[in-house]
Amino acid sequence: MTKYLFAPPAVASVPVRGSDEHFPIRRIFCVGRNYEAHAREMGLVADRDAPFYFTKSPAHSVSSGATVPYPPGTANYHHEMELVVGIGKAGFRIPEAQSLSHVFGYACGLDMTRRDLQKQAREKQLPWDLSKDFENAAVLSGMAPASVIGHPNKGKIELKVNGVTRQSSDIGTMIHAAPAIIAHLSRFYHLQPGDLIFTGTPEGVGPVVVGDRLDGMIEGVGEIALHIGAADSP
Ligand code: MN
């Protein structure tokens, strides 16, 4: 048995709804600009030809219901409410028509973003890691198995901050739907059980501040909540 110098990190996971089992997280892929109106509000144009991706570390995931500290290094911390796909079966170069057979289930996710750092990165043509892949930046609800809920391809997606609706759209309006994303992503990666795909956010993204309470829902999938706590003291 390998003797580790210090305790290896715990496996990041999300609970499976209606079960005592957890879905262990292997990788977190995120699609950018997958709703036309969100691309527009960012001052950009969505690419209809192919999705693009960034990643988040599983170590940066946090469960729905958590209170997270306002993150360091930003003055413009944003919410992005998203449908998350959980891969349950390995595949490479998966044909679109077969792609849903690789899905274990679906969750609600919040792709939390340091928007000011993302804007700087865009302008300087630098990577997005500081703006997207930071502590507690991948918020996840429990996962609903496709065997129970099916494969939702339309339905309301909403996010409220302190009870006020900020994001309200329909997952049926995403540009690249789950089957197309899985087919495309699996041309570049050998998808594995435990891989998660955040499928992009609709319009209405905006800042949150200390003390805010976020409540999101996706029709037929579930709900998600997050509380913003005080920043760590300097
Ligand atoms: Mn996003």
Side-chain angles (χ1 to χ4, degrees):
M1 210 171 97
T2 308
K3 288 171 73 178
Y4 293 108
L5 188 57
F6 48 85
V11 174
S13 68
V14 292
V16 175
R17 225 163 64 195
S19 157
D20 60 357
E21 294 181 314
H22 280 237
F23 178 98
I25 305 171
R26 183 181 179 93
R27 293 175 290 192
I28 303 175
F29 299 100
C30 306
V31 179
R33 286 170 224 155
N34 201 20
Y35 291 79
E36 197 84 56
H38 170 63
R40 236 180 355 252
E41 78 182 347
M42 299 300 289
L44 298 161
V45 179
D47 185 347
R48 294 200 153 264
D49 296 334
F52 77 92
Y53 310 93
F54 56 92
T55 58
K56 295 191 188 232
S57 165
H60 292 160
S61 64
V62 62
S63 294
S64 172
T67 299
V68 301
Y70 192 94
T74 184
N76 199 18
Y77 175 40
H78 272 212
H79 56 77
E80 295 192 359
M81 178 68 198
E82 311 200 359
L83 172 69
V84 178
V85 177
I87 298 294
K89 188 175 98 185
F92 181 55
R93 296 178 180 150
I94 301 167
E96 188 169 330
Q98 288 166 28
S99 60
L100 291 181
S101 71
H102 293 261
V103 174
F104 169 78
Y106 298 87
C108 298
L110 287 165
D111 164 17
M112 299 305 290
T113 301
R114 294 194 273 219
R115 191 72 69 200
D116 40 4
L117 299 192
Q118 187 192 27
K119 190 158 179 282
Q120 282 172 27
R122 263 171 48 194
E123 285 164 0
K124 294 181 180 171
Q125 302 191 342
L126 293 171
W128 282 11
D129 302 51
L130 286 181
S131 65
K132 288 291 197 181
D133 190 12
F134 55 96
E135 290 151 6
N136 306 309
V139 188
L140 289 157
S141 76
M143 186 164 303
S147 59
V148 176
I149 65 160
H151 295 278
N153 58 11
K154 57 179 184 326
K156 196 179 287 184
I157 179 169
E158 273 188 352
L159 183 81
K160 292 180 179 172
V161 178
N162 305 323
V164 178
T165 302
R166 292 269 194 95
Q167 295 189 266
S168 180
S169 184
D170 192 297
I171 56 170
T173 66
M174 66 176 69
I175 296 167
H176 307 284
I181 295 168
I182 292 164
H184 183 262
L185 187 61
S186 71
R187 285 157 53 184
F188 299 91
Y189 295 91
H190 295 74
L191 293 184
Q192 297 289 335
D195 287 338
L196 293 179
I197 308 170
F198 279 63
T199 58
T201 197
E203 68 276 19
V205 302
V208 293
V209 297
V210 174
D212 279 352
R213 185 198 157 93
L214 288 66
D215 288 286
M217 66 79 70
I218 301 173
E219 199 179 339
V221 176
E223 296 177 351
I224 191 168
L226 186 70
H227 307 262
I228 312 301
D232 291 327
S233 30

